[in-house]
Amino acid sequence: MSDTQVPEDAAATPPIDENKLIAERRLKLSALRSSGASVFPNDFRRDSLASELHLGFGEMGAEALNARAIKVHLAGRMMLRRIMGKASFAKIQDSSGQIQLYLQRDVLGDQYEAFKAWDIGDILGAKGTLFRTKTGELSVRVESARLLVKSLRPLPDKWHGLADTEVRYRQRYVDLIMNEDSRSVFRKRTQLVRYLRDMLDTLGFMEVETPMMQPIPGGATARPFVTHHNALDIDMYLRVAPELYLKRLVVGGFERIYEINRNFRNESFSSRHNPEFTMLELYQAYADYHDLMDLVERIMRGAAEAVVGTLEFNSLGRCYDLSKPFERISVEDMILRENPNLERSKLRDIAYLRGTCEKLGIPLNPGDGVGKLQIEIFEKTGEHTLQDPTFVFAYPAEVSPLSRANDTDPFLTDRFEFFVGGRELANGFSELNDSEDQAARFRAQVARKESGDDEAMFFDADYVRALEYGMPPAAGLGVGIDRLVGFLTDSPSIRDVLLFPQMRPE
């Protein structure tokens, strides 16, 4: 069976020999080259998109369409065709959608015979007049047609599609051709980023760009990617976060700034992690972490309206209503809520916490202190339970080396993480602007690194120097764009919202 025909019973379609089809298509291309025709022309100009035509004329009756005789120039990929002797139908797909073409031998002459040799997946241009078929479908009565691009590989059949998930990620170009749902996800991703920029610009934030390649990686506890700068003969690092550079700008007087860009962390990939990912990071002078929790609520509601169109929607197997107030709970209260057998009075007893970790099967490192052990228990027992939008705040200083210490309890910091669907979407805190305290915390991170913690931070002397000039009181926020897109589009894996996720080599 030819790959250009439509099977009446998809279930009964025999397996297609793809290599044979590719060979047949190459022969067709070779014949076109031999004929002296322009094989890949670039002089056809369209004046309409499928979606524009459906929007503008989709409700117009057949008589009105005939009376107006609307001429259009269209181009797109042929996704379906049905040859019926002297006349044929085809559907082409452009970036906006699909529209049907009606081709007649008596009108097209030799072009009609050429069309019969074209294949599904070929890109063609057509000129014609809008009309409505007997079944009521808006279509184009073609007056001339040209082959613009010969497709050498057959598309997956319409009924079975691109079923192999890994192939969808590796060959995203084919996934986008075949899968409207995938195209929709990435359109919504663009809508989200546009909304974030518009919102922050309206609030007086300025968008900036900071280095992707840094001499000292900082801003997060993560293992960096290492490269080498030949001219300087030094190792450089792909940034794990833009934080320390953005806060240098706050020192310099830019009081509301943000950046939407890539971070790189040398870690494994999974349904929730990709070594290269997109973050929104912002800083606001004369604000604290409470202000940023309020901002996150505003961002979430505005993003839902912009992308989904409503505050109440289904995602990841449950219904969410973002109009309700978001819960706020401390780390220690979360630990006790999910582990009611634990004693509050012993939550800062290192021996008690180590024993608890052992019972829970949590691996321990010799350098782990009370704060680190608390977070290990929270992540093991509590994080996955946070399905509804929730702020968890009051993180231990040990795991928050850049956060401002709490005024009444210096064991804690004025920091929060935001969770929804059991996933962290945002991290924010009042900024540590005490240069001496920051230097001491960097030294503690260096000690952790020397004891074997590959994710501990380096000592950044220039950042400490910047703080010594004085950074105004400020708060900072990081939002994971990929995870937020996944939540808003009901995409279970981060790979579903990355155009080209990291994959093992074939």
Side-chain angles (χ1 to χ4, degrees), residues 240-449:
V240 295
E243 178 168 345
L244 300 188
Y245 282 90
L246 290 171
K247 288 195 285 192
R248 285 173 169 91
L249 299 181
V250 177
V251 171
F254 290 137
E255 295 179 348
R256 292 191 177 200
I257 54 175
Y258 74 94
E259 182 171 8
I260 300 175
N261 222 321
R262 297 300 184 112
N263 292 344
F264 305 86
R265 298 181 184 176
N266 200 346
E267 58 191 20
S268 62
F269 40 88
S270 67
S271 62
R272 300 191 182 193
H273 296 90
N274 194 69
E276 178 183 3
F277 60 98
T278 303
M279 290 283 292
L280 159 67
E281 195 148 323
L282 66 83
Y283 291 86
Q284 180 178 347
Y286 308 106
D288 65 14
Y289 75 116
H290 292 290
D291 297 310
L292 293 190
M293 284 194 278
D294 294 340
L295 179 61
V296 169
E297 290 206 31
R298 180 173 177 179
I299 286 174
M300 292 297 296
R301 295 190 178 103
E305 291 279 14
V307 175
V308 188
T310 177
L311 296 181
E312 188 171 349
F313 55 92
N314 292 316
S315 181
L316 307 176
R318 58 184 287 131
C319 181
Y320 291 90
D321 183 356
L322 299 188
S323 66
K324 298 178 180 178
F326 296 180
E327 182 182 8
R328 303 186 182 191
I329 184 172
S330 72
V331 169
E332 291 186 350
D333 285 343
M334 267 299 304
I335 290 173
L336 291 172
R337 186 169 80 180
E338 300 304 323
N339 302 274
N341 57 311
L342 298 184
E343 301 177 43
R344 181 181 292 275
S345 61
K346 293 184 178 181
L347 284 185
R348 298 186 186 178
D349 181 320
I350 191 166
Y352 182 74
L353 292 176
R354 289 184 73 86
T356 300
C357 286
E358 289 172 357
K359 291 177 183 177
L360 292 171
I362 298 172
L364 302 175
N365 295 311
D368 291 345
V370 169
K372 175 67 170 175
L373 297 176
Q374 282 190 356
I375 294 304
E376 291 287 352
I377 295 170
F378 160 63
E379 291 180 349
K380 175 79 172 183
T381 64
E383 185 172 311
H384 65 278
T385 70
L386 297 172
Q387 297 298 319
D388 291 321
T390 304
F391 295 101
V392 179
F393 65 92
Y395 274 69
E398 181 184 354
V399 296
S400 311
L402 301 170
S403 306
R404 183 180 185 277
N406 184 266
D407 288 329
T408 59
D409 187 352
F411 172 79
L412 302 174
T413 59
D414 292 340
R415 173 189 173 193
F416 69 85
E417 289 187 339
F418 174 68
F419 296 87
V420 66
R423 303 181 181 192
E424 176 202 345
L425 261 63
N427 178 30
F429 43 82
S430 302
E431 296 299 333
L432 174 60
N433 58 350
D434 180 336
S435 61
E436 294 180 347
D437 188 357
Q438 182 64 80
R441 297 203 203 178
F442 275 154
R443 285 192 289 270
Q445 286 289 304
V446 170
R448 288 188 63 86
K449 184 173 289 292

Side-chain angles (χ1 to χ4, degrees), residues 61-271:
E63 291 186 5
L65 281 173
N66 292 335
R68 291 188 58 177
I70 301 161
K71 301 289 186 178
V72 295
H73 294 190
L74 296 169
R77 189 181 301 275
M78 184 161 61
M79 301 300 293
L80 179 149
R81 75 172 189 172
R82 188 165 69 253
I83 297 175
M84 302 182 299
K86 296 182 180 181
S88 298
F89 286 97
K91 280 198 175 180
I92 61 170
Q93 176 174 287
D94 59 28
S95 62
S96 70
Q98 296 187 0
I99 193 164
Q100 181 168 266
L101 306 181
Y102 178 59
L103 304 97
Q104 298 166 285
R105 185 176 66 185
D106 292 345
V107 173
L108 297 174
D110 290 343
Q111 290 182 2
Y112 185 75
E113 295 305 314
F115 161 76
K116 290 167 65 177
W118 298 346
D119 296 296
I120 297 297
D122 287 351
I123 297 174
L124 58 93
K127 301 178 183 180
T129 306
L130 285 181
F131 80 108
R132 197 170 296 283
T133 65
K134 293 179 180 180
T135 60
E137 183 169 354
L138 183 69
S139 305
V140 176
R141 183 177 283 109
V142 177
E143 297 162 8
S144 69
R146 292 178 65 192
L147 179 66
L148 303 180
V149 177
K150 182 65 194 169
S151 172
L152 297 180
R153 290 182 176 270
L155 297 176
D157 71 72
K158 177 182 176 181
W159 285 264
H160 299 106
L162 201 58
D164 188 317
T165 301
E166 182 167 325
V167 175
R168 285 181 53 219
Y169 299 149
R170 288 190 185 279
Q171 299 180 26
R172 181 66 80 187
Y173 39 90
V174 181
D175 178 41
L176 293 173
I177 292 171
M178 301 302 300
N179 191 343
E180 170 57 29
D181 289 340
S182 288
R183 295 195 295 273
S184 175
V185 165
F186 292 107
R187 290 193 191 99
K188 289 178 179 178
R189 182 184 179 111
T190 296
Q191 291 171 358
L192 171 64
V193 173
R194 184 183 300 119
Y195 159 75
L196 292 171
R197 284 196 166 102
D198 290 346
M199 175 192 181
L200 293 172
D201 292 346
T202 300
L203 293 175
F205 284 82
M206 181 176 74
E207 185 172 10
V208 298
E209 294 180 321
T210 59
M212 292 281 195
M213 194 163 60
Q214 304 175 350
I216 297 175
T221 52
R223 181 182 299 178
F225 286 97
V226 185
T227 186
H228 189 78
H229 193 296
N230 291 334
L232 295 175
D233 194 24
I234 59 172
D235 284 344
M236 301 285 284
Y237 303 87
L238 295 182
R239 75 175 186 196
V240 295
E243 178 168 345
L244 300 188
Y245 282 90
L246 290 171
K247 288 195 285 192
R248 285 173 169 91
L249 299 181
V250 177
V251 171
F254 290 137
E255 295 179 348
R256 292 191 177 200
I257 54 175
Y258 74 94
E259 182 171 8
I260 300 175
N261 222 321
R262 297 300 184 112
N263 292 344
F264 305 86
R265 298 181 184 176
N266 200 346
E267 58 191 20
S268 62
F269 40 88
S270 67
S271 62

